[in-house]
Amino acid sequence: YKAPQRNRPMRYEVDGKKYTHERPVATQQTAWHFVSQSRADMPDPIGGVLWFGTDDANTSVYMPFYCSMTKVPEEVRPGNGDLYTFSPTANFWVNNWVANQAYGKYNLMIDDIRKVQGSLENKFTASRPEFEAELLKLYRAGDTPALEARVNADGASIAKEATDAYRDLALFLLVRYLDGGRKKIDENGDFARNPHGKPLSPESPGFSEDFYRLIVEKAGDRLLLK
């Protein structure tokens, strides 16, 4: 399914020859990642933003958290789940839920993920100018408590929205790609139904031609229809 990740061990041996996997930049073992936006033309409490994400950078969402934040959002709070404890409100865990489904059916699922990922990141990016103009007014008025409260509320709202959206996405992927099929969706992105409200027969996307060739090379004529 054209999955980019390769599981450890990265080195392996076949017929006495040693090989290595190519390692993607966005590796699945990522715990968290960020892009630091540091702007000298803005006051420090506003100019410093961490665009922060959890798990695989390829499939997760970058969330803007300001350096003047004084409260960590619940969804990225240490202790909200851990490596042995799934939490449906932890950004790390819902991102893993989405990504680990996609690893097995990458070229089928990635477009569905990109729609949600892109929509969230575009929304967060587009809302920054207006929000930062509001913060600048508070900064110039010397109202630090109000500025911190707005930053905390914004961060909490963004973390919750991104986490809730990916939890919904994880469930959508589970339903849509159940048992190797692919359920049809309508122009609104909802599951398509017939005029009686019943589900339509799912598509059968199958495998790529490359993979079918591997099967034939391995099986020979054993699977040839006579």
Side-chain angles (χ1 to χ4, degrees):
Y1 292 106
K2 308 296 183 182
Q5 93 286 351
R6 294 293 180 267
N7 296 331
R8 295 173 178 170
M10 298 304 288
R11 296 183 179 184
Y12 55 97
E13 186 173 321
V14 176
D15 295 333
K17 294 182 178 180
K18 295 182 179 179
Y19 298 86
T20 184
H21 290 308
E22 291 183 313
R23 180 189 184 278
V25 174
T27 180
Q28 67 270 33
Q29 284 91 19
T30 302
W32 48 267
H33 52 91
F34 65 88
V35 176
S36 177
Q37 185 179 15
S38 305
R39 296 167 291 180
D41 60 333
M42 301 188 75
D44 288 348
I46 306 169
V49 184
L50 284 186
W51 291 83
F52 182 84
T54 64
D55 191 41
D56 191 333
N58 178 44
T59 51
S60 58
V61 173
Y62 281 99
M63 303 171 288
F65 295 148
Y66 289 79
C67 64
S68 47
M69 177 185 284
T70 59
K71 292 183 179 180
V72 179
E74 171 65 18
E75 290 73 17
V76 292
R77 176 183 59 81
N80 183 5
D82 58 37
L83 283 177
Y84 288 160
T85 309
F86 176 85
S87 170
T89 62
N91 189 260
F92 171 82
W93 269 113
V94 297
N95 285 347
N96 267 284
W97 191 3
V98 167
N100 276 269
Q101 290 189 77
Y103 294 150
K105 297 180 180 177
Y106 186 82
N107 63 343
L108 299 181
M109 293 186 175
I110 191 60
D111 286 345
D112 289 322
I113 295 172
R114 290 282 185 257
K115 290 176 184 177
V116 178
Q117 179 188 46
S119 177
L120 289 167
E121 291 185 343
N122 289 338
K123 179 180 179 180
F124 297 156
T125 301
S127 65
R128 294 308 90 193
E130 182 178 352
F131 179 67
E132 290 175 354
E134 179 185 347
L135 295 182
L136 275 171
K137 290 180 180 179
L138 295 174
Y139 177 83
R140 289 165 179 163
D143 196 344
T144 300
L147 186 151
E148 290 180 350
R150 284 295 294 123
V151 164
N152 288 337
D154 180 68
S157 175
I158 284 173
K160 186 177 188 307
E161 181 176 4
T163 303
D164 289 351
Y166 262 51
R167 186 170 56 251
D168 291 344
L169 174 59
L171 292 169
F172 172 83
L173 294 174
L174 175 63
V175 173
R176 188 178 191 199
Y177 295 95
L178 190 70
D179 295 337
R182 179 171 57 195
K183 294 181 176 65
K184 299 171 184 176
I185 56 176
D186 60 24
E187 62 276 6
N188 298 317
D190 299 321
F191 290 118
R193 298 177 180 272
N194 67 20
H196 304 288
K198 301 299 183 181
L200 300 179
S201 296
E203 301 169 331
S204 298
F207 302 106
S208 67
E209 182 179 347
D210 288 343
F211 189 69
Y212 285 128
R213 289 185 179 278
L214 289 175
I215 295 174
V216 171
E217 288 174 10
K218 182 71 174 179
D221 288 343
R222 182 169 59 86
L223 302 177
L224 181 66
L225 295 178
K226 306 286 185 173

